[in-house]
Amino acid sequence: MADLNGDIEAEAARWFFASSEDIFVVLRAGVVERVNPTWTKLTGWDEAEVVGQHFTDFAHPDEHQLIDDTVRQLREKGQAHCEHRLKQKSGGWFWVRANSRLRPDGVAMIVLQDISEAREHEAQNADAARTNDMLREEAGVFVWRFDPATQTYAVDSDLTRTGGPGIPGRRMLTAAEMSAEIHPDDQERVAEAFVGTVVSGAPRVVEYRHFKAENNSWARLRAAWRGMRQQAGGLWEVLGITQDVTELTEARDAAIEAAEVKARFLANMSHEIRTPMNGVLGVLHLLRHEALSEDGRRLLDEALGCGAMLSELLNDVIDFSRLEAGKLDLTIEPLQPVALAESVVALLRPQAEAKGLYLRLEAAPEEWVDGDPVRLRQILFNLVGNAVKFTAAGGVTVRLTSKGEAADHRLRFEVADTGIGIEPEAQAGLFERFQQADGSATRRFGGSGLGLAIAQGLAQQMDGAIGLSSEPGQGSTFWVEVAAPRSNTAGAAQDGDTGLDLISGLKVLVVEDNPTNRMIITRMLEHLGASVTTAEDGAQGVETAAAQAFDLIFMDIQMPVMDGLAATAAIRALDAPAATSPIIAMTANAMAHQVESYLKGGMNGWVSKPLSPAALVRTIAQTLAQAWVDAA
Ligand code: ADP
């Protein structure tokens, strides 16, 4: 036996470059004549058990046909090979690759190599590839290639499957067929971008609608492509990846829509609340002029304080929703930064002094710059207000510095306090909305947590930034830096208080449909010494203005019969002197573009609701000063 095995092993080695790891079988007329020890090792049967049996009996029934075919080939060509499963004594199967040769004496030699491991691998790979394909299709992602020479698209990275971009299971598509699937409104845009790449090779990303025959609907596809290889004619082969983003887009649109609805709702509600607030605060202001008991006066001051806080909160919410919607416009005018900082410090000094704190301003005299004084004051007011609020001993120093020249001129405000400071972990998120360093329910300090978020939004709008450094227990320094080009035109010096003399004896017309508002402004103006006539809508206003010239007209914007802008136009069309009366808009819609439309419409100034006596005086002074300058 050993000899014989030695024989066939030598022969197998010569013919098949086989090793003793392989199985050798010698057959005559399909019947096993000899096997080697590897056969026994791998199948479990020893030689005596298999000699005399048909070899086919050891092959898997599914592969009997294959074996018959292989045998036929062996007879015809003298050699053959195939892969099939071989039975084990234990009942299992394993894959072998069979190489066979027919000797002239009619004996067949077969070398069988165990390939079960490789087969296993292959199966796994095929599974993985199938899963990959499935995932890709599920995710709606397709890779494609366009050949300008044949004007056809082929889909998928291995290019074994064909179809158009985004259409699995399609045959090769021509460019014309491809573009017919694109929504008519998108065709031109896509074609233009695509031709651009075919000509230049430059990468492009486009989104478009694509017809989906399965459910007779438009899918939204996002395709990114680039030139891959330039062909002899100069045109580029294009490699692209297309993704079905229908669901993503719908989800994104829904999220954006929801956010917009929320922002709109917030802005509208705040606005709606602010209108009656106007009435409440106005009435409270008027009450201060009445004879009240000491207790009544104390209660009134309390109510005014709360009203002011509520107003501030409403303004914060409106500002914040506008900032988020990108709808907060700045109104740029000449301003003096030092004067601005001084006014903020002066406003907050009583609060600081009440707590025994110092509040200092360190600033070199500054020239005029261009900026939004209202918004800049708002930022500074927030920072200094916080510093006073969060400091118990010591005080607050406001520093103003500037750098850069002409158009590159920038302002930097630093607000340093000796207060409680902020833990490092809390510092990072502080500029996010509703963030407070102390988020606990039992926190000592009130506030909405909107202030810093708004300050940051405003600073960014001013092409600037905001930041802080802080040491818990030692204090904080907040800084804000904004672009503030040096101004060419110095603004007119404006001091609210000097307005008082201006107003006494002034003949004023108030055109306002809301009775409460009409009463409030009338009383406020009368307290300032003006003599007031009223009209209840725009038409009545024009009639009154035509009958008698006024020194000043206050005009509501939204009114029945004739609105404020139409009434202004009609007054401007009257004969002099009625036509030239300065007109001040009273409005709750004080966004920059709206204010601009009032001024364009012939008005001379505006005052925002809710009205406060200080704002009223300031606006009257500014408007009259300007009107006189214009008249001169
Ligand atoms: P609000 O003051 O209304 O809560 P802000 O956005 O202005 O909202 O401030 C957010 C938080 O930042 C405050 O609640 C406070 O925890 C912290 N903070 C702001 N300024 C200071 C400061 N100067 N010192 C200590 N903490 C501060």
Side-chain angles (χ1 to χ4, degrees):
M1 236 2 155
D3 275 348
L4 283 173
N5 276 339
D7 267 2
I8 59 168
E9 278 185 19
E11 211 168 327
R14 184 152 48 83
W15 281 354
F16 304 107
F17 303 101
S19 77
S20 57
E21 299 277 285
D22 302 328
I23 301 172
F24 308 134
V25 179
V26 177
L27 303 180
R28 192 184 289 272
V31 174
V32 178
E33 206 163 64
R34 280 183 245 160
V35 291
N36 73 341
T38 309
W39 164 277
T40 305
K41 203 169 98 193
L42 295 183
T43 64
W45 282 293
D46 59 28
E47 193 169 30
E49 287 175 289
V50 297
V51 167
Q53 309 248 27
H54 274 275
F55 179 74
T56 318
D57 292 344
F58 297 95
H60 194 280
D62 286 357
E63 282 120 33
H64 283 178
Q65 182 62 44
L66 175 73
I67 293 199
D68 287 350
D69 292 347
T70 311
V71 168
R72 197 171 315 120
Q73 204 185 7
L74 184 65
R75 276 205 215 100
E76 284 165 11
K77 296 195 174 149
Q79 58 184 30
H81 51 261
C82 69
E83 289 178 8
H84 62 85
R85 276 164 288 183
L86 204 57
K87 197 187 210 161
Q88 289 171 315
K89 193 173 176 178
S90 61
W93 297 93
F94 67 107
W95 278 92
V96 290
R97 178 177 296 128
N99 282 307
S100 43
R101 239 184 139 101
L102 192 62
R103 286 199 318 204
D105 60 2
V107 169
M109 297 223 19
I110 311 176
V111 172
L112 302 162
Q113 287 167 319
D114 179 0
I115 56 162
S116 40
E117 222 166 84
R119 274 271 173 167
E120 179 81 0
H121 247 114
E122 236 167 68
Q124 276 173 4
N125 282 347
D127 263 5
R130 255 197 310 279
T131 313
N132 243 338
D133 278 359
M134 233 167 62
L135 283 178
R136 241 192 337 230
E137 259 167 53
E138 203 96 305
V141 177
F142 302 93
V143 179
W144 50 267
R145 195 157 138 182
F146 174 77
D147 180 356
T150 59
Q151 294 275 308
T152 49
Y153 294 87
V155 160
D156 251 320
S157 49
D158 58 4
L159 301 178
T160 52
R161 296 186 309 153
T162 55
I167 327 164
R170 282 276 180 108
R171 304 310 311 164
M172 207 90 150
L173 271 189
T174 65
E177 285 168 331
M178 178 62 216
S179 78
E181 306 274 349
I182 297 176
H183 194 285
D185 293 350
D186 298 340
Q187 275 176 11
E188 202 178 308
R189 189 168 49 84
V190 176
E192 202 170 292
F194 195 72
V195 169
T197 304
V198 173
V199 171
S200 70
R204 292 288 158 81
V205 181
V206 291
E207 247 184 69
Y208 59 93
R209 284 156 293 175
H210 193 277
F211 191 69
K212 236 171 145 180
E214 302 100 272
N215 47 11
N216 197 24
S217 68
W218 294 102
R220 190 161 272 284
L221 302 186
R222 180 184 295 138
W225 60 64
R226 63 177 176 79
M228 189 176 60
R229 203 161 56 86
Q230 199 168 15
Q231 294 186 341
L235 296 181
W236 286 79
E237 263 179 55
V238 182
L239 182 67
I241 180 160
T242 300
Q243 186 180 10
D244 186 335
V245 292
T246 314
E247 279 176 32
L248 288 177
T249 313
E250 279 165 5
R252 183 191 63 192
D253 290 350
I256 291 174
E257 165 76 13
E260 273 170 10
V261 166
K262 188 192 71 181
R264 258 200 316 273
F265 172 75
L266 203 59
N268 287 346
M269 278 314 288
S270 316
H271 202 102
E272 287 305 310
I273 295 170
R274 202 160 64 161
T275 307
M277 267 299 294
N278 177 20
V280 174
L281 279 179
V283 169
L284 291 180
H285 275 298
L286 293 178
L287 265 181
R288 291 175 71 184
H289 297 284
E290 301 298 319
L292 287 176
S293 69
E294 193 150 319
D295 208 26
R297 195 153 293 280
R298 211 171 37 75
L299 292 174
L300 178 61
D301 284 344
E302 186 74 12
L304 272 168
C306 290
M309 264 166 63
L310 187 52
S311 262
E312 211 174 286
L313 184 61
L314 285 171
N315 287 337
D316 275 2
V317 171
I318 293 173
D319 280 353
F320 186 76
S321 51
R322 279 186 195 163
L323 272 172
E324 277 223 316
K327 287 194 179 129
L328 195 141
D329 304 317
L330 297 177
T331 308
I332 304 298
E333 56 185 76
L335 66 95
Q336 259 187 318
V338 180
L340 188 142
E342 265 166 3
S343 73
V344 171
V345 165
L347 265 173
L348 288 165
R349 183 161 284 128
Q351 267 179 47
E353 278 170 359
K355 292 176 80 177
L357 304 174
Y358 62 82
L359 177 51
R360 299 185 195 123
L361 172 65
E362 294 173 5
E366 255 288 344
E367 286 163 333
W368 291 87
V369 299
D370 283 332
D372 184 329
V374 174
R375 296 307 186 177
L376 209 50
R377 187 177 286 120
Q378 185 178 353
I379 298 177
L380 207 55
F381 194 82
N382 185 260
L383 296 186
V384 182
N386 277 347
V388 172
K389 177 157 129 189
F390 295 104
T391 303
V396 179
T397 308
V398 181
R399 275 179 222 105
L400 168 58
T401 52
S402 65
K403 64 174 184 200
E405 274 315 308
D408 296 327
H409 188 249
R410 293 177 79 79
L411 296 176
R412 183 184 170 94
F413 294 94
E414 279 178 15
V415 181
D417 66 52
T418 57
I420 59 172
I422 300 160
E423 295 293 332
E425 313 80 73
Q427 289 180 21
L430 222 49
F431 294 99
E432 280 163 32
R433 57 185 162 158
F434 310 125
Q435 278 293 331
Q436 296 177 321
D438 178 4
S440 65
T442 54
R443 62 173 206 256
R444 284 177 292 159
F445 306 98
S448 64
L450 274 177
L452 288 177
I454 293 172
Q456 185 183 44
L458 290 173
Q460 286 168 351
Q461 193 112 329
M462 296 176 186
D463 198 13
I466 194 166
L468 81 149
S469 59
S470 182
E471 190 72 42
Q474 305 291 310
S476 316
T477 299
F478 281 77
W479 57 263
V480 58
E481 210 182 286
V482 297
R486 281 194 197 280
S487 179
N488 300 322
T489 48
Q494 295 140 3
D495 185 353
D497 291 337
T498 60
L500 280 171
D501 284 346
L502 269 169
I503 297 167
S504 80
L506 223 53
K507 277 195 294 176
V508 182
L509 170 62
V510 170
V511 188
E512 161 73 83
D513 63 314
N514 181 302
T516 314
N517 287 347
R518 200 166 55 233
M519 186 265 285
I520 289 166
I521 182 161
T522 303
R523 299 281 292 270
M524 277 183 182
L525 288 167
E526 281 170 357
H527 277 297
L528 293 169
S531 82
V532 183
T533 308
T534 59
E536 294 178 15
D537 61 52
Q540 240 186 55
V542 177
E543 213 172 285
T544 317
Q548 173 193 359
F550 287 92
D551 297 321
L552 194 59
I553 299 174
F554 278 92
M555 182 74 75
D556 185 24
I557 297 295
Q558 281 172 5
M559 284 183 291
V561 188
M562 182 188 271
D563 69 23
L565 275 169
T568 300
I571 291 173
R572 291 290 175 246
L574 295 172
D575 293 333
T580 55
S581 303
I583 300 178
I584 295 178
M586 293 186 290
T587 177
N589 300 321
M591 280 159 79
H593 70 271
Q594 290 161 324
V595 168
E596 207 180 297
S597 76
Y598 307 150
L599 299 183
K600 274 213 185 89
M603 297 181 162
N604 303 73
W606 58 277
V607 58
S608 72
K609 294 177 185 173
L611 301 174
S612 76
L616 207 56
V617 171
R618 203 164 46 234
T619 311
I620 294 172
Q622 281 172 16
T623 309
L624 288 181
Q626 190 58 45
W628 295 337
V629 169
D630 290 348

